[in-house]
Amino acid sequence: RIEVSLPENIIKIIEKRAKKNLLSIEEQIEDIIRRSAVNAQLKKVQSPEKIDDLLVSIFSRRKRRIK
């Protein structure tokens, strides 16, 4: 069990989101944390590409791997 202190304005936002998703506040917070953890696992930090021309790096698309 983990205890977290949140400002009142954040709690109101989470309450509104929980009502929309038909969840309790605790369940909504668990869902947010779970989704964040899953997304963090999917995103891997890639080393920056070594490109000589700055414009090429700005306008080129990076290849993404989807598992």
Side-chain angles (χ1 to χ4, degrees):
R1 193 138 183 88
I2 299 174
E3 192 171 317
V4 179
S5 298
L6 297 172
E8 191 64 34
N9 60 341
I10 301 295
I11 292 173
K12 288 180 182 180
I13 294 170
I14 293 173
E15 283 177 341
K16 185 176 178 182
R17 191 167 163 186
K19 283 182 183 178
K20 182 178 142 187
N21 293 331
L22 302 174
L23 298 171
S24 69
I25 296 172
E26 292 82 9
E27 291 171 331
Q28 184 65 51
I29 292 171
E30 287 176 13
D31 185 56
I32 292 168
I33 294 171
R34 181 185 53 78
R35 287 175 186 239
S36 176
V38 168
N39 286 335
Q41 286 179 349
L42 295 177
K43 293 180 184 178
K44 293 196 176 189
V45 179
Q46 296 178 352
S47 61
E49 298 174 3
K50 294 181 182 178
I51 299 177
D52 294 333
D53 190 2
L54 180 61
L55 290 175
V56 173
S57 66
I58 293 172
F59 291 105
S60 63
R61 295 183 184 178
R62 291 185 179 178
K63 294 181 181 179
R64 297 182 183 177
R65 289 185 173 178
I66 300 175
K67 292 184 178 182

